[in-house]
Every structure is written in structure tokens, then in C-alpha cells.
Amino acid sequence: MKASIVGLGYVGLPLACECADEGLETKGIDVDEEKLEKIKNGVCPVEDEVTERKFKDLYQEIEASKDYSNVSDSDVIVVTVPTPVSDSKEPNYDYVESAMESISENISEGTVVILESTVAPGTSNKVVRPILEQSGYEVGEDIYLAYCPERIDPGNEEWTIKNIPRVLGAYSEEGLEKAEEFYSKALEAEINTVADLKSAEASKVVENSFRDINIAFVNELAKSFDSMGIDTKEVIEAASSKPFGFMPHWPGCGVGGHCIPVDPYYLIDQAETSGFQHEFMELAREINNSMPEYTVEKLQDGLNKHGKPVNGTKIALLGLAYKGGVGDTRESPALEIRKMLEEKQAEINTFDPYVPEDSTLESIEEAVEWAECVVIATEHEEFKEIEKLGTENLALIIDGKNILDRELIETDYLGVGR
Ligand code: SAJ
């Protein structure tokens, strides 16, 4: 089987490695010359340990280029390009449309195109299918179209692209079979087929919106319990002792990454065009988007108790990545917190062991020694080191991800919801 993967990022590159590993003739397409150069030279352009390990062994099996004519003899073309939302939170399908146009100019009869990028329900049929049919082929007759939402949890060693269960829908029965045959060859993942393209598209935005609204629930609890002096983390841990009907989520200084804070807007935007307002999902987004500012307000109040204005106070920001164990800073709340502290003229230094290029300090020890106040903005395991350090020289620790055991902290400690 010959497979082409269009878009060699955090989803496409691991998939290309899996295809190569299973002996499929694998071609990669990307428009980023720098990324192609890195791949050619065996330098993994994706910051993820699991991907880096696979890439090292398999990169020479992947023919990577920007030449779309390479897809002309592919049995399967998988599209994993970005689908960002604009500042006004409107989905942007430019990359998808451009990739599909290039594919339609080179596709051969019998090929199945599988879109994995997150899109609003209805997009594959209404946007992608007409572009592919510019080839002169008819989708469902001469060529085929399927949708299989990407699922990846950066940094997760247990659930990787090889074994994460998938959802698959297609425009036609034959397209579904062809796509299912591809995934059963390339991966070892359970494939859950659904009735059509839009069911598969909707499942992706639903699973991530589920996470977003549940995080918003505990973030609202954190604000409420702060006012009542209740430790939210303790309460959620206690509620988690219920063996059914409860799924813990955790409050924090914000919700970052390329999925959770972005995906709900696809559904919100699409539903609006059909006259429905997702008030609940919109409110959840507002609550989660308010958490960086809430964290800075707690810091400001905490410093005031020590007679320290934010202005001029030495603040060490620990963590720039959007979540623990990764170096990805996309949509990271830490960056928003840094921006707010800069606007308040704090004296800031940063340290994130996973983002050395943007760190101005070399270690946690250096941060604790230099600072008057430490703000933890990412749940990196390494930051628990602080519990063992003498922190009496600090006026305040703001634990934006509630990772420290407050009993072990000798100085003033404030968490989010504790
Ligand atoms: N977060 C909280 N509280 C929580 C969980 C997460 O504040 O209880 C924050 C994190 O700190 C981070 C953001 O939300 O800033 C996103 O966290 P995440 O664990 O959801 O991490 P992601 O973005 O890598 O999510 C990926 C997603 N995968 C895809 O979209 C394909 C998501 O669907 C998965 O649920 C998630 O991995 C996972 O861990 O399962």
C-alpha cells in the first residue's frame, strides 16, 4: 500500500513514521522548507519524545518533499494540516483548502483522501468534497473521502498514535472500507466507524468540548471556594472517591494547547450558522479564558499583604509550556501571565526546562534564590523540587497548577482555588 501524509507536524509526522514502520511505501508532503530540511537530515522537527524516538529509526523510510505530484500514485492520502481559529475565534480552513486543491490537481482514480484535522461538522462534505471533485473525479465513485479526527496526547507514553482508539466516518461505504483498511495496516488502534462524515467530525469537537466545560466547572469552583476558604483540590480529590458518575478535572491558571481551548469554537461557530447559540460552551470558554487574569489578581493581592506592589518586584515565572511534560507553548496561559506582569512593570525572569530557548534562568534553585515571588504556570513534575528548597527568602509562591504540597512550603503560598 502506498500512503502520502500531507502536513508533517505533531500528528502527521508520527503517522508517517507508523506507516513506514509497517512497511507501507510512505511519502510526506509539507510546504515548510526548513522542516523538510530537518527531516532530510534526521532532525526531528516535532518536540515530543515518543515521536523523536520513532523518527530517529524511520526518517530515512519517509520520502519527504513539497512536491504534490508525489501523491499521484498513492492509494491513501491523509491530510493533517493545521486548522487554527482567528483572533475573533473563527475557524480558518486555508491550509485544508490549499492542501485539497493541490491534491485535486494530482490525485489518481481509486485514491481515498482522509482528513484528520479538526473541523466543524459538515466541513468535509461542504468544503473538501467540491475541491476534490475539481479533479474531474466524483467522490464516492472514482475517488473517496473519509474523516478520522486526530487524537494525540503529547508526552503520553501509554497512549500513542499507534494505539489510541479512533473514530472513522466516510462519504461512501467503499471509502469507509478503504480508509479502514489503511488504518488497520498502519496502526494497531481500534477503529470505531460511524454513519457519516459529520458524525466523525462532531465526535472530535464533542470530546474536547467535554474536557473544556469540565475544566471550566472546576475553575469556577476555584473562584467560589477561594472566597469561602475551601481547598478546591482537596474537595475534588474527595469527590473522586466516588467510583462512578464522577470524573475529576483540576483548576488552574488557564487552559492552553492546540486542542482544548480551540476546538469548541468550531462547534460554536458552525451552530451559529444554523441558528443555535451554544451559550454553555461559550460561558465555559469565558471562564477558562479568565483564569490567567484571576491568577495575576491573586498574586497582586498576595504581594499587597507584604507591602509589595507588582511594579518592581522580582518575579520568577516557572513554566512557559501549555501543560506539564511538553515544550509546546501554543495558547499557553503562562505567556498571558507573563504579558500581564510585564504590563504591571514587574521585574520578571523565566525558567521552563522544556523551553530553554525562552528561559532567562538556568534552574529552579536560581529562580528561588533570585526572586521575591515565584509563579508556577505549568504542571511540570520538576517544579515539585521547590518543596525541598529553602523558600523562606520568598515573600510569596503562587501555585498556578496546584502541584505543590502546601504543608512543605515555608513561605506564603496561594494556589488556584486553595
Ligand atoms: N487542564 C486543566 N485542568 C484539567 C486538565 C487540563 O487546567 O483538568 C489544562 C492543561 O494544563 C492544559 C490544557 O488544559 O493547559 C489542555 O490540557 P490537556 O491535558 O487536554 O492537553 P492537550 O491539549 O494535549 O489535550 C490532548 C487532547 N488531544 C486531542 O485533542 C487530540 C485532548 O483531546 C485529550 O483529552 C488530552 O490530550 C488528554 O490528556 O487526554
Side-chain angles (χ1 to χ4, degrees):
M1 182 180 268
K2 296 180 181 174
S4 284
I5 313 298
V6 176
L8 298 174
Y10 69 91
V11 175
L13 190 62
L15 180 59
C17 290
E18 293 301 337
C19 291
D21 204 12
E22 292 302 326
L24 278 68
E25 189 181 312
T26 309
K27 293 178 180 172
I29 304 271
D30 204 293
V31 293
D32 181 336
E33 302 264 8
E34 195 187 323
K35 185 185 288 185
L36 291 170
E37 200 51 33
K38 279 185 174 176
I39 293 172
K40 215 163 282 169
N41 301 326
V43 176
C44 184
V46 169
E47 282 199 19
D48 173 71
E49 279 169 29
V50 177
T51 305
E52 281 160 356
R53 275 201 301 274
K54 276 260 171 177
F55 173 84
K56 197 164 50 49
D57 301 339
L58 292 155
Y59 75 91
Q60 287 157 318
E61 312 297 319
I62 302 166
E63 190 189 328
S65 82
K66 64 177 190 177
D67 182 358
Y68 270 89
S69 64
N70 274 347
V71 308
S72 59
D73 65 345
S74 295
D75 304 301
V76 181
I77 305 170
V78 185
V79 179
T80 54
V81 295
T83 48
V85 285
S86 64
D87 290 348
S88 56
K89 304 305 179 193
E90 309 229 311
N92 175 337
Y93 298 132
D94 293 352
Y95 297 109
V96 170
E97 290 176 15
S98 154
M100 294 301 176
E101 271 148 22
S102 301
I103 289 168
S104 73
E105 286 155 19
N106 294 280
I107 195 170
S108 303
E109 191 168 359
T111 302
V112 58
V113 176
I114 306 171
L115 178 60
E116 291 202 354
S117 312
T118 306
V119 293
T123 303
S124 297
N125 186 38
K126 284 194 286 207
V127 175
V128 173
R129 183 167 63 85
I131 294 174
L132 289 179
E133 290 185 336
Q134 286 166 8
S135 62
Y137 292 125
E138 192 184 339
V139 169
E141 291 300 322
D142 317 306
I143 56 176
Y144 306 93
L145 175 59
Y147 184 79
C148 183
E150 55 101 351
R151 271 183 181 163
I152 195 151
D153 183 20
N156 192 324
E157 301 270 350
E158 184 197 352
W159 290 108
T160 69
I161 201 153
K162 193 177 190 67
N163 66 349
I164 293 177
R166 304 295 292 269
V167 170
L168 175 65
Y171 181 76
S172 65
E173 193 49 42
E174 198 166 353
L176 190 71
E177 285 161 16
K178 284 175 173 288
E180 204 168 3
E181 184 194 356
F182 163 69
Y183 284 112
S184 57
K185 280 192 166 49
L187 306 175
E188 289 167 8
E190 172 197 294
I191 304 296
N192 300 284
T193 57
V194 292
D196 49 26
L197 291 166
K198 60 186 176 197
S199 302
E201 292 162 332
S203 70
K204 172 63 194 268
V205 282
V206 163
E207 65 192 36
N208 281 354
S209 301
F210 167 85
R211 194 163 174 79
D212 195 47
I213 57 181
N214 279 281
I215 296 168
F217 168 56
V218 293
N219 280 334
E220 185 177 75
L221 280 182
K223 294 182 176 180
S224 161
F225 287 178
D226 266 344
S227 69
M228 294 187 260
I230 297 172
D231 185 326
T232 312
K233 182 175 178 182
E234 184 152 43
V235 168
I236 292 167
E237 280 167 350
S240 302
S241 63
K242 183 177 177 185
F244 47 83
F246 183 81
M247 185 177 181
H249 289 76
W250 308 98
C253 61
V255 174
H258 48 274
C259 305
I260 308 307
V262 173
D263 294 359
Y265 291 115
Y266 292 112
L267 191 50
I268 292 167
D269 182 75
Q270 185 65 36
E272 256 172 24
T273 60
S274 41
F276 183 80
Q277 203 70 30
H278 272 286
E279 292 164 26
F280 180 48
M281 286 171 61
E282 287 178 338
L283 178 60
R285 287 277 72 243
E286 274 168 45
I287 292 169
N288 287 337
N289 286 337
S290 76
M291 296 316 285
E293 187 173 7
Y294 180 73
T295 305
V296 171
E297 281 164 9
K298 285 202 81 167
L299 180 151
Q300 206 150 349
D301 298 344
L303 285 178
N304 278 345
K305 289 200 180 78
H306 292 266
K308 289 174 181 285
V310 174
N311 186 331
T313 295
K314 293 194 286 187
I315 299 178
L317 178 63
L318 294 186
L320 294 166
Y322 78 88
K323 78 170 182 179
V326 301
D328 189 342
T329 60
R330 281 176 291 182
E331 308 278 329
S332 175
L335 304 184
E336 284 186 64
I337 290 170
R338 179 169 63 178
K339 188 160 163 282
M340 288 178 209
L341 293 177
E342 282 166 351
E343 285 160 4
K344 294 176 185 298
Q345 271 104 46
E347 193 184 335
I348 304 170
N349 265 309
T350 56
F351 174 64
D352 185 322
Y354 294 81
V355 192
E357 68 280 6
D358 202 5
S359 297
T360 56
L361 296 170
E362 301 288 310
S363 68
I364 300 167
E365 291 77 5
E366 190 186 356
V368 169
E369 206 174 302
W370 169 81
E372 294 166 86
C373 169
V374 162
V375 180
I376 298 173
T378 308
E379 59 274 36
H380 291 318
E381 267 308 298
E382 292 82 348
F383 291 159
K384 288 180 72 65
E385 271 299 299
I386 294 175
E387 293 168 350
K388 300 187 193 105
L389 297 176
T391 53
E392 57 283 352
N393 65 301
L394 294 173
L396 175 65
I397 291 182
I398 296 285
D399 186 355
K401 291 292 181 179
N402 297 328
I403 59 173
L404 299 180
D405 176 348
R406 58 185 317 159
E407 302 309 315
L408 302 177
I409 302 299
E410 287 129 34
T411 187
D412 211 355
Y413 170 98
L414 289 172
V416 176
R418 65 194 302 242

